[in-house]
Amino acid sequence: MMFYATAMKMQHAKPDYDQGLLWTALLLLALGAVMVYSASIAIAGANRYTGYQESYYLLRQLVYVAVSLLFGFIAFQFPMRAWQKMAPYLFIVGIVLLVLVLIPGVGRSVNGSKRWISLFVVNLQPSELMKLFAVLYAADYSIRKAGHMQSFTKGFMPMLVVMLFIGALLLFEPDFGAFAVIIAVAMGILFLGGINGRQFGSLIVMLVVGFAIVIWSSPYRMQRIIGFMDPWADPFGKGYQLSHALIAFGRGDWFGVGLGGSVEKLMYLPEAHTDFLLAVIAEELGFAGVLIVVLMFAYITLRAFAIGRQAASLERPFAALVAHGIGIWLAVQAIINMGVNMGLLPTKGLTLPLLSFGGSGIAANCVALGILLRVDWESRQLLKGYAS
């Protein structure tokens, strides 16, 4: 009887990690691999660079996912106090990488953007890593400057200068999408960290004005805005990419044309396996497929904020801000990518987290989720200690 009671108690005991969060992330990674394969068959089979192998992008994506999961598992092993100590140094590493990518002969240019550093076997995209480093740094900064968060010169100004410097480096690449995500993450963490309300409002105004100036001063960004406003006015020019994405959404209807049945991926829709993967999902799996993706991202975001609130209630401020920052990052990037695919936002070079093709993005996402699971795990251990 004692053995039966012990077994039943273990059966009903809460697990030491967030199973829902983990399985949702794994499902998104699996769906991403399938859809990357479907979206890239045509371009891989027609490209001499890939050796005309239709499975070229699938095999690389599977390797990226496997390595990224390993990185996520390793990240989970580090306690949050270690991440807090490493945060400033990781941020400096990110800055160095952003500088290196701008050096001729070091940075690799693709489609007019210099965002990658060639590592021979793969290309490293520093801006993807910088999103994670910005989360850790902003959280650590908010804790270190907790007593000065109401001060303009000691709390607000140093972070503003650092973020403007990072923004300048990103705009030189140019990578306006990564800049927008990093700014959103930093602002969200500073707000949760207790920054002065008037200073926060002033920051929002300055950012809106700054974004407007950056767009107005850049001809190609202005062309994207014009194409976004009315893609059908120039469907073979400025509105080409968006018009074909909208055609994909229209063809998908409620339940899609079936897996592998997309027409737009047949060399019509540019970047079908990266920035516009959601359009292929919409065409092949329909509104139902898109809704499932949206709901899974919503679940991850809600869990991130719930984990953050629990950490805050246990007086773990750094862990709480990191959890919230990861939730903001994944949510903002997913919303921007989905908005671009649906024609709700101007075209930006942002991938869909956990789904789109790309090693740096997948690795950064998996490490972030590993850290998020660590925050949750440590909170559960504390609660067990209180219960005992």
Side-chain angles (χ1 to χ4, degrees):
M1 286 296 293
M2 288 181 61
F3 174 79
Y4 177 76
T6 303
M8 290 299 293
K9 184 177 180 180
M10 292 177 63
Q11 185 178 359
H12 290 92
K14 290 184 178 180
D16 285 339
Y17 63 94
D18 192 319
Q19 292 181 315
L21 175 63
L22 177 62
W23 280 108
T24 302
L26 291 175
L27 285 172
L28 281 171
L29 289 169
L31 176 63
V34 172
M35 296 312 303
V36 163
Y37 181 44
S38 178
S40 65
I41 287 178
I43 187 173
N47 195 335
R48 184 171 59 185
Y49 170 74
T50 65
Y52 305 108
Q53 297 179 4
E54 294 182 344
S55 60
Y56 174 84
Y57 291 102
L58 169 65
L59 295 176
R60 291 181 74 88
Q61 183 75 349
L62 290 176
V63 172
Y64 292 154
V65 169
V67 173
S68 298
L69 287 173
L70 176 61
F71 287 162
F73 177 76
I74 294 173
F76 178 82
Q77 307 307 311
F78 288 88
M80 292 309 298
R81 64 178 181 274
W83 285 111
Q84 186 171 5
K85 291 180 181 178
M86 292 189 293
Y89 304 105
L90 290 174
F91 193 69
I92 293 173
V93 170
I95 292 175
V96 172
L97 291 174
L98 289 179
V99 172
L100 286 176
V101 81
L102 298 174
I103 299 176
V106 178
R108 183 170 181 266
S109 181
V110 178
N111 296 329
S113 297
K114 189 175 288 187
R115 303 178 185 175
W116 297 267
I117 297 175
S118 177
L119 301 180
F120 301 104
V121 179
V122 295
N123 293 319
L124 175 68
Q125 189 171 356
S127 59
E128 292 293 340
L129 301 181
M130 197 62 192
K131 295 169 188 174
L132 173 62
F133 298 160
V135 169
L136 297 171
Y137 178 76
D140 176 60
Y141 180 88
S142 298
I143 301 304
R144 286 189 288 110
K145 298 285 186 175
H148 304 288
M149 290 303 284
Q150 298 295 314
S151 170
F152 179 81
T153 55
K154 295 182 179 180
F156 175 76
M157 183 56 71
M159 191 63 172
L160 177 63
V161 171
V162 169
M163 285 300 134
L164 288 177
F165 177 64
I166 297 300
L169 293 176
L170 290 169
L171 292 178
F172 275 124
E173 294 186 6
D175 194 346
F176 188 76
F179 177 46
V181 171
I182 289 174
I183 289 297
V185 168
M187 286 180 59
I189 292 177
L190 287 176
F191 177 76
L192 294 170
I195 194 173
N196 182 280
R198 285 182 296 179
Q199 294 174 11
F200 187 76
S202 301
L203 177 60
I204 293 177
V205 173
M206 286 190 293
L207 285 174
V208 171
V209 174
F211 283 145
I213 293 174
V214 168
I215 293 171
W216 179 78
S217 62
S218 176
Y220 89 93
R221 290 195 181 98
M222 282 297 297
Q223 293 298 320
R224 284 187 170 184
I225 294 294
I226 295 171
F228 154 73
M229 296 299 292
D230 187 7
W232 306 110
D234 187 12
F236 298 102
K238 296 185 290 291
Y240 180 82
Q241 200 168 25
L242 179 54
S243 61
H244 280 279
L246 294 176
I247 290 171
F249 272 87
R251 291 193 74 246
D253 205 8
W254 287 99
F255 299 104
V257 297
L259 186 62
S262 169
V263 171
E264 288 302 315
K265 71 183 181 185
L266 303 177
M267 313 300 286
Y268 293 106
L269 178 63
E271 308 298 337
H273 60 301
T274 55
D275 301 350
F276 281 83
L277 186 66
L278 187 70
V280 179
I281 294 175
E283 187 176 3
E284 296 190 350
L285 305 181
F287 173 79
V290 173
L291 180 61
I292 290 173
V293 171
V294 171
L295 290 176
M296 284 196 285
F297 275 111
Y299 178 80
I300 288 177
T301 303
L302 291 173
R303 287 305 307 149
F305 275 85
I307 290 170
R309 284 195 304 271
Q310 185 180 58
S313 69
L314 295 171
E315 298 182 354
R316 303 174 60 223
F318 174 75
L321 289 175
V322 168
H324 288 138
I326 291 172
I328 293 170
W329 163 22
L330 296 179
V332 168
Q333 184 163 335
I335 289 171
I336 293 176
N337 179 274
M338 293 175 184
V340 167
N341 275 253
M342 297 177 188
L344 301 175
L345 293 171
T347 303
K348 294 307 313 159
L350 274 178
T351 56
L352 190 57
L354 298 169
L355 286 164
S356 295
F357 176 80
S360 299
I362 295 290
N365 296 157
C366 286
V367 170
L369 290 171
I371 295 173
L372 183 60
L373 286 167
R374 178 73 192 197
V375 173
D376 176 66
W377 183 84
E378 290 185 2
S379 294
R380 293 179 188 232
Q381 300 310 304
L382 281 174
L383 290 172
K384 283 185 177 181
Y386 293 150
S388 61

